[in-house]
């Protein structure tokens, strides 16, 4: 589906007005199977929170948020050197904001209003029924905390404690902005509490059946919900580790040193992935080609993948074909970042640059939404041990993470190949993995700083453009990889990538009084509270 079709389908609605007039109507239009339900209730609201286009490999999310903003700001995708390349597109940021704060339609999770509806209905239950509903409440909270942390990572201070009051109390109250630091503390504490619930939860058979039916993410696995909560908590603790090292160090080491008490998503069998809906038939080709985001980016290819002879190259990219001779290119050529846009466009038209792999990415209708993977968790573990523990343990975790990251891309290629009925790329061999881990730019050698740089760089590769919100957060936190950007001198005020996203105009208009409290922070150069390194 192309961008024009999406634009034609958008109906602009003011934040407060939309909630006041249509929130309840939309919430009543629920799902059954669980892709469609017949009435509004806690379990149905929970399913609605999971059905999130901001998690799935959805055209609109990829095209208007990921490859236009955080992926560009981390150099993980290609982009022409044209004016406004680093400038935020506020109308699209408003869409992202609305998808979090309001229920907007199919595939829009409306995280805040649905969480508040669950809390409202839970409060009316008897003590006996609350016990039965606890599994939905705690699973919904984990999703809520995860999604909220990403909004904070993009914008900083946001409405939190008073957000969604219309759904919770019926009061149309303009919500105050809470401190990003305080929100993070609440999320970390909340994730610990919900993980503790799942650690000991024992469900009535009927409740277990209902939960399994409505849980389109983890199919009712209490073990995976506990791992999900612990792993997101681990992510957030590491995110604040340069801003509040003592808290992060204490809580992270407590978790890592007691794996039986704090199980994590540390094996690939526990990856948290959101499968496409059974009715989904689209793919991401248009989303990545409309902005020339599909070409091999120079830093990734020339500074990271090629020097290590990384086997991922063959499943990340296709060599492409010369449009004049119709002959495949001899190698995987990346697009230089520092040549004029006219030269870039000429070479693009000639088919000179490698492009995203058609099976892994472009036409992969079964590409999952990536929530958190074992590779990320083990990169966090490696960083923690390198900074606060044993470098030998750090090496073990790092090498496991690199292998898992490589395996995951080959897995995605196989998923796409199976669905399309085409051959997958040559299978990954043990020798290729051992050679990668022994290569100079990947091998776990050097000083502590050099080892940390390798952890952070490999983590950046693993996130790619589909997890570029996480990638951008980590680049800002760690300052690795050490990227350079060609200044956009033709766009005053947006010469370089920002440190945060600007608040959408709708918030300035419809929450004007509370916006005044954060207006001085609403600049491209204001850093998120954890960005202190």
């Amino acid at each position: 589906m192309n961008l024009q079709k999406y634009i034609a389908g958008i109906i602009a609605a003011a934040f407060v007005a939309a909630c006041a007039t249509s929130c309840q109507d939309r919430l009543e239009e629920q799902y059954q199977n669980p892709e469609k339900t017949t009435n509004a209730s806690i379990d149905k609201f929970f399913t609605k929170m999971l059905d999130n286009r901001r998690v799935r490999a959805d055209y609109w999310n990829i095209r208007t948020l990921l490859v236009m903003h955080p992926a560009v700001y981390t150099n993980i995708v290609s982009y022409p050197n044209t004016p406004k390349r680093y400038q935020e597109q506020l109308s699209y940021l408003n869409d992202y904001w609305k998808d979090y704060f309001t229920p907007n339609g199919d595939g829009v999770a409306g995280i805040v209003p649905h969480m508040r509806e669950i809390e409202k209905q839970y409060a009316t239950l008897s003590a006996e029924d609350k016990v039965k509903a606890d599994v939905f409440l705690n699973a919904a909270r984990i999703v809520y905390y995860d999604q909220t942390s990403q909004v904070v990572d993009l914008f900083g201070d946001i409405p939190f404690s008073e957000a969604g009051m219309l759904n919770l109390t019926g009061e149309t109250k303009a919500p105050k902005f809470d401190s990003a630091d305080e929100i993070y503390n609440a999320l970390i504490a909340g994730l610990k509490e919900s993980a503790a619930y799942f650690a000991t939860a024992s469900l009535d058979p009927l409740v277990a059946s209902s939960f399994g039916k409505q849980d389109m993410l983890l199919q009712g696995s209490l073990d995976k919900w506990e791992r999900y909560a612990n792993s997101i908590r681990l992510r957030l603790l590491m995110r604040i580790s340069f801003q509040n090292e003592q808290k992060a160090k204490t809580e992270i080491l407590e978790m890592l040193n007691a794996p039986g008490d704090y199980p994590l998503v540390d094996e690939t069998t526990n990856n948290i992935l959101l499968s496409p809906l059974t009715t989904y038939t689209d793919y991401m080709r248009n989303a990545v080609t409309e902005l020339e985001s599909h070409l091999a980016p120079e830093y990734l290819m020339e500074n990271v993948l090629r020097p290590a002879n990384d086997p991922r190259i063959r499943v990340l990219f296709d060599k492409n074909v010369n449009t004049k001779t119709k002959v495949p290119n001899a190698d995987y050529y990346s697009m230089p970042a520092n040549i004029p846009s006219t030269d870039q466009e000429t070479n693009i038209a000639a088919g000179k640059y490698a492009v995203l792999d058609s099976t892994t990415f472009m036409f992969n209708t079964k590409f999952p939404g990536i929530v958190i993977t074992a590779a990320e968790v083990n990169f966090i573990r490696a960083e923690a041990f390198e900074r606060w523990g044993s470098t030998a343990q750090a090496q073990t975790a790092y090498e496991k993470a690199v292998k898992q990251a490589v395996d995951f891309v080959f897995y995605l290629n196989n998923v796409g190949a199976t669905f399309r009925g085409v051959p997958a790329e040559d299978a990954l061999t043990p020798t290729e993995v051992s050679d990668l881990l022994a290569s100079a730019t990947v091998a776990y050698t050097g000083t502590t700083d050099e080892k940390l740089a390798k952890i952070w760089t490999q983590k950046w590769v693993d996130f790619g453009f589909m997890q570029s919100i996480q990638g951008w957060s980590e680049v800002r936190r760690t300052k690795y990889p050490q990227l350079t950007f060609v200044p956009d001198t033709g766009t005053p005020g947006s010469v370089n990538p920002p440190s945060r996203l600007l608040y959408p105009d709708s918030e300035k208009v419809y929450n004007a009084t509370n916006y005044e409290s954060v207006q001085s922070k609403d600049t491209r150069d204001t850093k998120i509270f954890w960005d202190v390194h």
Side-chain angles (χ1 to χ4, degrees):
M1 186 175 295
N2 60 35
L3 184 60
Q4 288 73 26
K5 290 182 180 178
Y6 264 87
I7 292 174
I10 295 172
I11 301 175
F15 175 77
V16 173
C19 282
T21 59
S22 66
C23 277
Q24 194 59 42
D25 288 343
R26 291 190 182 277
L27 290 171
E28 295 291 344
E29 299 171 1
Q30 293 296 310
Y31 296 14
Q32 190 171 12
N33 80 8
E35 295 173 12
K36 194 165 189 168
T37 38
T38 55
N39 50 53
S41 59
I42 288 176
D43 55 339
K44 309 308 188 295
F45 291 137
F46 166 65
T47 298
K48 182 63 174 174
M49 289 178 72
L50 298 179
D51 182 28
N52 190 352
R53 70 175 179 177
R54 298 300 179 174
V55 175
R56 299 187 191 281
D58 177 86
Y59 167 88
W60 192 248
N61 190 50
I62 296 172
R63 168 63 174 78
T64 67
L65 180 70
L66 298 182
V67 300
M68 180 175 273
H69 297 100
V72 169
Y73 306 154
T74 56
N75 256 346
I76 200 66
V77 294
S78 59
Y79 50 90
N81 281 325
T82 50
K84 300 183 179 181
R85 58 186 175 271
Y86 307 130
Q87 188 178 75
E88 303 92 317
Q89 300 301 310
L90 294 182
S91 63
Y92 295 145
L93 298 187
N94 184 58
D95 287 339
Y96 176 81
W97 189 268
K98 286 196 303 181
D99 281 2
Y100 172 75
F101 281 107
T102 66
N104 247 4
D106 289 344
V108 177
I111 295 295
V112 171
H114 287 99
M115 186 71 246
R116 296 294 178 254
E117 286 290 333
I118 289 173
E119 292 171 338
K120 181 176 71 175
Q121 294 202 18
Y122 182 84
T124 67
L125 299 178
S126 66
E128 180 181 0
D129 286 341
K130 282 181 177 178
V131 172
K132 296 177 181 178
D134 277 339
V135 66
F136 291 99
L137 177 67
N138 280 281
R141 282 174 173 168
I142 294 168
V143 174
Y144 173 57
Y145 299 147
D146 180 9
Q147 291 296 305
T148 298
S149 70
Q150 295 180 50
V151 181
V152 170
D153 290 342
L154 293 174
F155 295 95
D157 299 352
I158 62 169
F160 177 67
S161 59
E162 296 178 354
M165 288 299 106
L166 172 66
N167 300 90
L168 186 63
T169 67
E171 178 184 7
T172 54
K173 178 180 182 179
K176 70 175 183 178
F177 282 75
D178 293 275
S179 160
D181 189 356
E182 293 175 354
I183 296 172
Y184 247 65
N185 286 334
L187 303 181
I188 290 168
L191 287 163
K192 183 177 183 179
E193 182 178 335
S194 289
Y197 165 79
F198 279 103
T200 60
S202 178
L203 304 185
D204 174 277
L206 291 178
V207 174
S209 175
S210 176
F211 184 56
K213 175 184 175 182
Q214 298 301 139
D215 179 11
M216 63 168 62
L217 179 62
L218 299 177
Q219 294 73 51
S221 171
L222 305 187
D223 174 69
K224 286 190 176 183
W225 278 102
E226 183 186 4
R227 292 176 186 274
Y228 177 18
N230 283 330
S231 299
I232 298 299
R233 180 176 167 229
L234 187 72
R235 172 196 282 170
L236 301 191
L237 285 166
M238 188 56 80
R239 190 70 43 80
I240 67 170
S241 64
F242 290 123
Q243 180 262 345
N244 190 343
E245 184 169 9
Q246 189 55 50
K247 175 181 174 66
K249 176 182 177 181
T250 299
E251 296 194 33
I252 287 175
L253 290 183
E254 178 187 20
M255 296 176 74
L256 297 185
N257 290 330
D261 295 330
Y262 301 99
L264 297 166
V265 178
D266 53 3
E267 300 294 342
T268 55
T269 52
N270 293 318
N271 283 348
I272 310 297
L273 307 174
L274 181 61
S275 298
L277 293 176
T278 56
T279 55
Y280 184 75
T281 58
D282 204 356
Y283 39 78
M284 67 175 75
R285 179 183 180 277
N286 289 337
V288 296
T289 58
E290 288 173 6
L291 295 176
E292 309 291 11
S293 309
H294 63 304
L295 309 166
E298 183 178 29
Y299 189 95
L300 174 64
M301 180 64 78
E302 309 304 336
N303 292 62
V304 182
L305 299 179
R306 199 186 304 279
N309 194 26
D310 197 311
R312 282 174 289 193
I313 292 174
R314 68 175 181 267
V315 286
L316 288 173
F317 300 104
D318 291 330
K319 291 179 180 178
N320 210 352
V321 176
N322 184 299
T323 56
K324 292 183 179 179
T325 65
K326 309 301 181 184
V327 175
N329 292 329
D331 204 347
Y332 297 90
Y333 300 118
S334 61
M335 184 170 77
N338 61 351
I339 64 175
S341 60
T342 51
D343 292 347
Q344 290 175 325
E345 294 295 346
T346 297
N347 292 336
I348 292 169
K352 182 174 182 178
Y353 304 130
V355 297
L356 285 175
D357 188 85
S358 59
T359 300
T360 305
F361 296 105
M362 295 275 221
F363 297 102
N364 191 351
T365 297
K366 297 302 180 181
F367 198 102
I370 306 170
V371 178
I372 191 166
T373 66
E376 178 186 352
V377 169
N378 282 307
F379 281 127
I380 295 172
R381 178 182 273 143
E383 178 180 349
F385 285 139
E386 186 59 44
R387 290 171 61 184
W388 307 313
S390 160
T391 193
Q393 286 180 294
Q395 180 173 353
T396 298
Y398 168 77
E399 292 181 348
K400 183 175 184 177
V402 172
K403 184 180 185 307
Q404 289 171 330
V406 174
D407 284 342
F408 186 64
V409 184
F410 276 83
Y411 158 77
L412 293 173
N413 181 262
N414 271 284
V415 168
T418 300
F419 176 74
R420 294 180 64 202
V422 299
E425 289 291 337
D426 292 342
L428 181 68
T429 68
T431 300
E432 286 181 304
V433 175
S434 60
D435 288 348
L436 174 64
L437 292 173
S439 64
T441 57
V442 178
Y444 204 70
T445 57
T447 66
T448 293
D449 286 345
E450 288 170 337
K451 291 174 180 176
L452 288 172
K454 289 177 179 179
I455 293 170
W456 295 331
T457 299
Q458 287 299 315
K459 192 177 182 182
W460 169 79
V461 176
D462 179 50
F463 282 139
F465 69 91
M466 286 303 297
Q467 287 185 282
S468 53
I469 293 176
Q470 297 304 323
W472 187 34
S473 296
E474 286 298 282
V475 167
R476 287 176 289 165
R477 177 180 75 90
T478 68
K479 306 302 180 282
Y480 278 91
Q482 295 181 320
L483 304 170
T484 58
F485 294 86
V486 177
D488 179 10
T489 55
T491 309
S494 299
V495 176
N496 290 300
S499 295
R500 60 175 288 276
L501 298 182
L502 299 174
Y503 293 120
D505 290 337
S506 60
E507 195 68 13
K508 302 173 188 178
V509 173
Y510 295 104
N511 198 9
T513 299
N514 290 305
Y515 171 73
E516 290 178 2
S517 69
V518 296
Q519 186 171 6
S520 63
K521 301 179 184 180
D522 192 18
T523 71
R524 302 176 85 251
D525 299 327
T526 298
K527 293 184 176 182
I528 307 299
F529 78 98
W530 41 251
D531 183 1
V532 298
H533 188 51

